[in-house]
């Protein structure tokens, strides 16, 4: 089951104890599902939802709280909207229900945001608003390089009201327009976890966090592997460049090179791609990494000094850009 569907399935079964919370949830569901319509100068409420259990939950709330009967119409999916859609429809006394749920004001004018009584309600009402909004038009992405919980809103006023509800819960949400649609987005993983907990989707939160941790561990392992590969490449490049310098050093010093320094230099030339640690193990008798590095360093310094005295090119002469970029 996809995460969004899992969240909606879980939220549709959350038990709400107070009438205030149930009213806030219903108002948000109808508002964010664009439930208010005018047909032949008559108000009709049609809330289109994508989850069957959510539609049954809305129908139950409308009957138990407001005493309005409604029908659920199942609409088959098409090319634009895959999967069945569930339309909760109220025709009889829909104008009274619109006033009761805050879809219109006392003068019958549509309310663009959320009713003032809900906006100024308790923290529990703010949670109910978010639950209703998510059930109507919310989505939760799979945790990956980025993660997000977002709700598509019927307009900027509704988006700002939802941002305010999140702020009352101590959660930062942002309203933005994406492809001509108003959305409220939460991208911080801890804030998403906090909101899912508030709304009552604890089971889905556990699954989401497991997937998030698995992705983070995988990304960390990939970064370490890439870091190790880069270190190996740099080490090999340094070894090749050092071999070229040693070869030039032996040319400059000729027969004047000390035997122990010449031995270290010849070892470097025989194993051009080996690390200093590997060179030390190949020596007879074996030497430490610092010992082999010290001998090669003294060999190069001696050759560069001789080259400077003679006015000829030093050990860097044999080092090419291809060696450093390979």
């Amino acid at each position: 089951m996809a995460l969004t569907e899992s969240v909606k399935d879980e939220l549709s079964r959350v038990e709400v104890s107070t009438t205030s919370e149930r009213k806030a949830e219903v108002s948000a569901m109808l508002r964010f599902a664009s439930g208010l319509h005018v047909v032949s100068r008559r108000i009709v409420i049609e809330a289109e939802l994508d989850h069957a259990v959510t539609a049954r939950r809305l129908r139950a709330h409308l009957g138990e709280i407001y005493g309005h009967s409604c029908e659920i119409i199942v609409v088959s999916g098409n090319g634009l909207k895959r999967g069945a859609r569930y339309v909760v429809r109220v025709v009889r006394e829909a104008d009274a229900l619109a006033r009761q749920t805050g879809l219109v004001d006392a003068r019958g004018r549509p309310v663009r945001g959320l009713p003032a009584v809900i906006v100024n309600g308790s923290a529990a009402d703010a949670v109910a608003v978010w639950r209703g909004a998510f059930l109507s038009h919310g989505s939760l992405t799979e945790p990956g390089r980025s993660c997000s919980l977002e709700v598509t809103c019927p307009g900027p006023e509704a988006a700002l009201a939802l941002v305010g509800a999140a702020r009352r819960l101590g959660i930062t949400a942002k309203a933005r327009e994406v492809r001509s649609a108003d959305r409220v987005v939460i991208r911080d993983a801890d804030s998403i976890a906090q909101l899912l907990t508030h709304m009552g989707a604890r089971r889905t939160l556990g699954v989401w966090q497991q997937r998030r941790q698995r992705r983070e561990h995988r990304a960390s392992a990939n970064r370490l592997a890439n870091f190790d590969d880069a270190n190996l490449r740099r080490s090999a490049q340094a070894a090749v460049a050092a071999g070229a310098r040693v070869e030039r050093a032996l040319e400059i010093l000729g027969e004047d090179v000390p035997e122990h320094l010449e031995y270290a230099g010849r070892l470097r030339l025989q194993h051009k791609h080996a690390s200093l640690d590997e060179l030390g193990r190949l020596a007879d008798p074996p030497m430490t990494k610092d010992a082999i590095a010290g001998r090669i360093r003294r060999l190069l310094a001696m050759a560069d000094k001789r080259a400077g005295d003679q006015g000829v090119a030093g050990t860097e002469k044999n080092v090419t850009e291809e060696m450093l970029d390979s």
Side-chain angles (χ1 to χ4, degrees), residues 20-37:
S20 174
E21 292 175 63
R22 296 177 76 183
K23 286 184 176 181
E25 183 181 310
V26 168
S27 293
M29 288 181 70
L30 293 177
R31 187 72 188 91
F32 284 84
S34 301
L36 184 65
H37 302 275

Side-chain angles (χ1 to χ4, degrees), residues 214-295:
R214 190 159 56 241
R215 296 251 184 174
E216 288 177 350
H217 291 161
R218 189 179 305 159
S220 178
N222 289 339
R223 283 194 298 271
L224 289 174
N226 293 336
F227 179 77
D228 290 342
D229 288 344
N231 279 344
L232 288 174
R233 285 194 299 272
R234 283 194 293 268
S235 178
Q237 291 169 357
V240 171
R245 291 190 65 194
V246 165
E247 185 175 11
R248 174 61 179 166
L250 294 177
E251 291 176 2
I252 295 171
L253 295 174
E255 297 181 357
D256 296 333
V257 58
E259 184 177 351
H260 66 293
L261 300 186
E262 182 182 13
Y263 177 75
R266 298 294 180 190
L267 201 61
R268 172 79 282 172
L269 293 178
Q270 292 170 12
H271 307 280
K272 290 187 177 181
H273 295 278
S275 65
L276 290 171
D277 191 48
E278 291 170 332
L279 285 183
R281 291 196 298 269
L282 290 170
D284 185 20
M287 291 185 286
T288 66
K289 171 184 175 180
D290 292 338
I292 195 76
R295 291 190 182 187

Side-chain angles (χ1 to χ4, degrees), residues 51-109:
H51 195 263
V53 183
T54 301
R56 291 195 293 270
R57 180 183 180 90
L58 179 57
R59 180 177 63 181
H61 283 341
L62 290 175
E64 294 169 6
I65 301 172
Y66 300 104
H68 288 270
S69 61
C70 58
E71 60 179 335
I72 297 178
I73 304 170
V74 181
V75 181
S76 300
N78 53 36
L80 296 177
K81 295 182 179 180
R82 298 180 180 179
R85 312 287 294 179
Y86 305 88
V87 179
V88 179
R89 194 165 190 259
V90 179
V91 177
R92 186 179 179 182
E93 297 182 348
D95 54 343
L97 179 60
R99 287 193 299 271
Q100 291 172 316
T101 55
L103 294 180
V104 297
D105 60 19
R107 297 183 180 181
R109 297 173 300 187

Side-chain angles (χ1 to χ4, degrees), residues 193-224:
Q194 185 180 348
L195 182 59
L196 290 175
T197 302
H198 281 312
M199 292 193 298
R202 291 179 176 83
R203 186 185 68 247
T204 307
L205 172 60
V207 174
W208 183 81
Q209 287 181 325
Q210 287 178 357
R211 295 181 184 179
R212 175 189 168 200
Q213 291 172 357
R214 190 159 56 241
R215 296 251 184 174
E216 288 177 350
H217 291 161
R218 189 179 305 159
S220 178
N222 289 339
R223 283 194 298 271
L224 289 174

